[in-house]
Amino acid sequence: MTSSLIRGRPRHSKARIRVRVAHAAIGVTVGAGWLILPMMTTGAGDTVPAAPAVSGAAAVSGAAAVSDAPAISDDPAISGDPVTTAGTAQKGGTSAIDLVLPLVVVGAAGALAGYGYLRRTRRARSRTTPGLVSGAPPVPTPAESERQARAALVLADDCVRGSEEELPYVADLFGETEIEPFRHAVRAAKTELSAAFAIWRRYEEGLPRNEGARRQTLATVVGRCAEAGRRLDAEAERLDRLRGLGEDGEDREGVVAALAVAERRFRDLTRRTAAAQGTAVSLHDRYGPSAADPVTGYAEQARDRLMFATWQLNGARRDMDSGAQRAAFRQLRSAEGAIAQAGVLVRGVERLAAQLREAADLVPAALTGAEAEIATARKGNAPPSMTAGELNARLAHVDGVLAAVREELTTGPYDPLDALRRIARAVERLEVDRSGVLEAAALLVARSSVGEAEDFVSVHRGAVGAEARALLAEATRVLDGTTALPASTELSLHPSDGRDAEADALARQARDLAERDVRTHGNPYLEADTRTPGTTGAVLGGILLPGPLHPGTPPSFGGPATRTRHAGPDF
């Protein structure tokens, strides 16, 4: 099999190499000949050639001239006889110039050849065009490899989330049985992505420590993300055929039916969004600002998404009336994404309200359970490794936490979820077996934190980076019990109940990082199409893809190779 490097080499490159070799051979031959030739043409026995014969008149006049001239010394060195001097020089062998000049030329030629070789080698190492001379591509730096891994994680996570958002609309049309292959593809992609995030987390913690192993770890992350994308890409065409978007892309009935489903969901969410606005206000008044903070502004963002969906649905109807089914489907996909995110925002408000009510009902029981744990610890059932002084200090801390919670219950308003979190963590420091009510309190708090972080990332994925997503994925794995706790943890956790507290801490950290990413990201879409309300929020939420390649394109089910297949007027 011909390697890609050989296939990418221009056809005339071999001819150029042969010409260079011929030039080098000719240069060596000329230099060697120049060095040897003087030795071959002169020798010790060579004689000076005789003077040519002259006529009689010339001889007589020459004799007269000689007789009138002054006497000349017999010493050749003094007389300066040119004939004798030339003969002496030739009899002595080759001159110094004849020997030195060829050596200088050959040395200069060698220097030029070496310079040319070094220049070609450096150029080949840095070249990125198909005409590579180097046998291997340049090795990326660790910083470049990390950037590639982060980008791969974000892209794969976006593909999974976007694909998952589309499936409920397809299920409404064709039923769960028909979409099971696509749900299976999403589950497989999630498995690959979860493994990639887990590997990335270990990398961030400094493992492995060997530089070569760390490079291989980053390559594994990129490979896992690519496999997640391939799982989705493999089913993209099949989903298009199911939705009536095959090669002809002209199934009018399929698009009309999908529009009806989207409009029904839109009407339901419009009603629920108005109710969510009132719910958010009541949460603020009843439980205080800190309790309602996780969903502050969610009702407004949901209305923004629905406003964007309204324009897209109306545009899809107009395109259908004009016979542009493909353009209509593109606007339909934008509306589906906006409606799905409005649903996430509204459900976030509704879920938090239910969890706060459950937590408020659980706080008195949690206080009673904590007091029972304190009594158990005071009877000497604390771990043997804990000294009496440490035990008394921790008991005093628990007493203070319980007293503060009781005061909040009487004075109000207070955050029930935060109260349960403080009670559970204070009792954990005693390192005794927790009662069932405290286990339930810790699980409720962890689920609430993970759900809040998941909602925030989902509706702001256009700005959230890899670090926040990796922490969220780790929190989900810990909560589900699919991973062990890290060897070093900031909390002193009991083996039986550490997962809930760890998942809660990871999810809260993920939410903080995601909010920081959004603040840093700002609003880079000032040049977005202002004729369509909600466009900025749609790009921020990943409903529309930014950038020069596919501006305003809604992502569809699929991986990196297929999710933008509906881009452009003719997709």
Side-chain angles (χ1 to χ4, degrees):
M1 180 177 179
T2 306
S3 72
S4 59
L5 293 177
I6 295 175
R7 290 196 304 268
R9 180 180 294 169
R11 295 181 179 178
H12 55 272
S13 61
K14 293 184 178 180
R16 289 183 176 177
I17 294 174
R18 287 195 294 269
V19 170
R20 291 173 182 171
V21 172
H23 287 172
I26 293 172
V28 171
T29 302
V30 171
W34 198 341
L35 181 63
I36 297 172
L37 185 59
M39 301 179 183
M40 297 176 61
T41 58
T42 61
D46 291 345
T47 59
V48 179
V54 295
S55 62
V60 173
S61 62
V66 171
S67 63
D68 294 337
I72 299 177
S73 173
D74 294 335
D75 189 354
I78 298 176
S79 65
D81 186 354
V83 174
T84 306
T85 305
T88 304
Q90 291 190 9
K91 288 180 181 180
T94 59
S95 66
I97 296 177
D98 291 335
L99 292 174
V100 173
L101 186 58
L103 293 176
V104 172
V105 172
V106 172
L112 291 174
Y115 172 75
Y117 172 79
L118 291 176
R119 184 178 179 184
R120 288 194 300 272
T121 302
R122 291 174 181 173
R123 186 165 47 194
R125 288 175 180 172
S126 61
R127 184 182 298 170
T128 57
T129 54
L132 282 173
V133 177
S134 175
V139 178
T141 65
E144 292 172 345
S145 298
E146 288 183 7
R147 284 194 295 270
Q148 293 172 3
R150 289 191 185 95
L153 287 168
V154 170
L155 178 58
D157 192 45
D158 284 348
C159 290
V160 170
R161 292 178 183 275
S163 298
E164 200 168 23
E165 282 181 355
E166 184 175 352
L167 291 183
Y169 297 94
V170 185
D172 283 354
L173 286 171
F174 304 102
E176 288 293 335
T177 303
E178 290 292 333
I179 70 165
E180 178 55 31
F182 311 112
R183 291 202 184 278
H184 176 74
V186 170
R187 288 193 296 268
K190 279 186 172 182
T191 300
E192 295 290 342
L193 182 59
S194 178
F197 275 125
I199 296 170
W200 172 257
R201 283 284 296 156
R202 288 199 297 271
Y203 179 87
E204 285 187 314
E205 293 170 356
L207 299 175
R209 302 188 185 280
N210 179 269
E211 189 63 31
R214 288 178 68 79
R215 284 197 302 268
Q216 182 60 39
T217 297
L218 294 176
T220 303
V221 170
V222 175
R224 289 278 192 171
C225 293
E227 180 60 26
R230 284 192 291 269
R231 295 296 184 98
L232 299 173
D233 287 330
E235 299 294 335
E237 183 179 354
R238 183 177 178 181
L239 183 66
D240 280 353
R241 290 197 301 269
L242 181 63
R243 300 199 72 173
L245 298 167
E247 294 182 358
D248 55 2
E250 298 293 338
D251 186 356
R252 177 183 175 84
E253 296 302 324
V255 178
V256 170
L259 273 171
V261 170
E263 288 170 345
R264 185 174 67 250
R265 285 175 171 258
F266 173 85
R267 289 190 294 270
D268 175 64
L269 274 172
T270 300
R271 175 183 54 80
R272 290 170 57 194
T273 299
Q277 178 67 46
T279 301
V281 173
S282 65
L283 292 179
H284 187 279
D285 295 339
R286 181 176 180 181
Y287 300 110
S290 64
D293 275 348
V295 296
T296 298
Y298 273 22
E300 290 78 6
Q301 292 182 51
R303 285 201 303 269
D304 183 72
R305 300 293 197 277
L306 292 177
M307 187 177 298
F308 175 80
T310 300
W311 281 75
Q312 298 301 316
L313 290 173
N314 291 338
R317 285 292 182 186
R318 289 193 300 269
D319 288 335
M320 288 299 298
D321 293 340
S322 62
Q325 283 86 359
R326 297 191 177 201
F329 180 77
R330 188 170 61 257
Q331 297 204 64
L332 169 64
R333 277 297 304 130
S334 299
E336 288 176 346
I339 295 169
Q341 290 198 6
V344 170
L345 293 163
V346 170
R347 284 192 300 273
V349 176
E350 295 170 346
R351 185 183 63 248
L352 180 61
Q355 289 172 340
L356 286 171
R357 288 193 298 269
E358 184 179 358
D361 294 338
L362 196 57
V363 167
L367 288 171
T368 302
E371 291 169 350
E373 300 295 344
I374 292 175
T376 300
R378 283 187 172 134
K379 290 179 182 179
N381 292 330
S385 60
M386 188 183 302
T387 64
E390 291 175 339
L391 177 60
N392 291 332
R394 295 185 183 188
L395 287 172
H397 172 72
V398 176
D399 286 337
V401 170
L402 298 184
V405 171
R406 290 192 188 95
E407 183 178 359
E408 291 174 0
L409 284 174
T410 56
T411 59
Y414 77 105
D415 182 351
L417 285 170
D418 183 64
L420 290 180
R421 179 182 293 109
R422 285 182 288 154
I423 293 171
R425 289 191 175 183
V427 174
E428 284 167 3
R429 293 176 58 85
L430 299 178
E431 299 184 18
V432 295
D433 292 335
R434 291 192 308 190
S435 62
V437 65
L438 292 178
E439 290 280 359
L443 181 60
L444 175 61
V445 169
R447 285 177 175 171
S448 176
S449 297
V450 172
E452 291 167 3
E454 177 68 31
D455 291 347
F456 189 87
V457 172
S458 294
V459 299
H460 298 90
R461 62 176 180 260
V464 178
E467 284 75 11
R469 299 179 194 231
L471 284 170
L472 176 58
E474 181 72 11
T476 302
R477 288 193 302 273
V478 171
L479 185 61
D480 294 341
T482 57
T483 186
L485 287 173
S488 60
T489 176
E490 296 180 0
L491 301 175
S492 178
L493 304 178
H494 192 271
S496 64
D497 53 29
R499 293 187 182 278
D500 298 336
E502 181 70 9
D504 174 52
L506 287 168
R508 287 163 63 84
Q509 187 179 356
R511 173 71 183 261
D512 291 342
L513 284 178
E515 290 180 349
R516 184 197 65 185
D517 289 342
V518 173
R519 289 193 300 269
T520 304
H521 196 263
N523 182 14
Y525 311 117
L526 296 177
E527 297 180 1
D529 188 358
T530 55
R531 295 172 299 176
T532 304
T535 299
T536 298
V539 178
L540 185 65
I543 299 169
L544 297 179
L545 299 179
L549 294 179
H550 308 289
T553 298
S556 297
F557 182 100
T562 59
R563 70 172 187 152
T564 58
R565 61 190 180 278
H566 298 155
D570 298 322
F571 66 89

